[in-house]
Amino acid sequence: MACLEITKGEQVGKYFQLGNRTLAGGRDPAREIQIIDTTVSRKHFIIRKAGDRHAIYETKAKNGILVNGQRCTDKVLEDGDEIQVGGTVLVYHVADQPDRTNALEQYRKGDRELREDRTMTS
């Protein structure tokens, strides 16, 4: 199973296992992939299965998405691609790391107040 790992920004080391369902990313606490970064839009991107890989799609991103330094609105991801959203960088891996804690599980169990911490700025 593929995954995303934050390698730059406030949440370095945070790890998200990607499955077959579509996941939303952004600053909004309702996003499964919540990025705590004031330069990230509340509803910044979605990521969904595309064959045996995943694709990322910009949604309502003021600052856009960069994949390997190139601005794009949608892209099928390759192993090792660096995705920059605001000041945060995530790396896409085609294989997961089973010994890591999946942030999506923490999201499902999390308290909404904790998820809203530092996300209420526009």
Side-chain angles (χ1 to χ4, degrees), residues 58-75:
E58 181 183 311
T59 52
K60 297 180 179 180
K62 290 181 186 176
N63 295 325
I65 296 171
L66 298 175
V67 177
N68 300 323
Q70 301 282 334
R71 176 97 189 230
C72 63
T73 56
D74 60 271
K75 169 121 175 45

Side-chain angles (χ1 to χ4, degrees), residues 1 5 7 11 14 17 19 22 27 29-31 35 37 60 67 69 76 82 86 97 103-104 116 122:
M1 185 180 320
E5 180 181 6
T7 60
Q11 297 165 282
K14 201 159 200 177
Q17 275 184 341
T22 299
R27 199 177 72 248
R31 305 296 96 184
I35 309 292
D37 179 335
K60 297 180 179 180
V67 177
V76 175
E82 290 189 348
Q97 301 164 12
L104 292 173
E116 288 179 350
S122 59

Side-chain angles (χ1 to χ4, degrees), residues 31-97:
R31 305 296 96 184
E32 294 94 348
I33 301 173
Q34 185 186 21
I35 309 292
I36 299 173
D37 179 335
T38 57
T39 60
V40 170
S41 296
R42 294 178 70 74
K43 298 176 180 178
H44 207 102
F45 65 89
I46 60 170
I47 190 161
R48 68 171 56 126
K49 193 80 167 148
D52 61 347
R53 290 176 286 162
H54 288 81
I56 190 164
Y57 301 89
E58 181 183 311
T59 52
K60 297 180 179 180
K62 290 181 186 176
N63 295 325
I65 296 171
L66 298 175
V67 177
N68 300 323
Q70 301 282 334
R71 176 97 189 230
C72 63
T73 56
D74 60 271
K75 169 121 175 45
V76 175
L77 299 170
E78 302 286 340
D79 190 43
D81 277 352
E82 290 189 348
I83 303 158
Q84 183 171 349
V85 292
T88 300
V89 175
L90 302 100
V91 176
Y92 174 77
H93 300 286
V94 294
D96 72 354
Q97 301 164 12

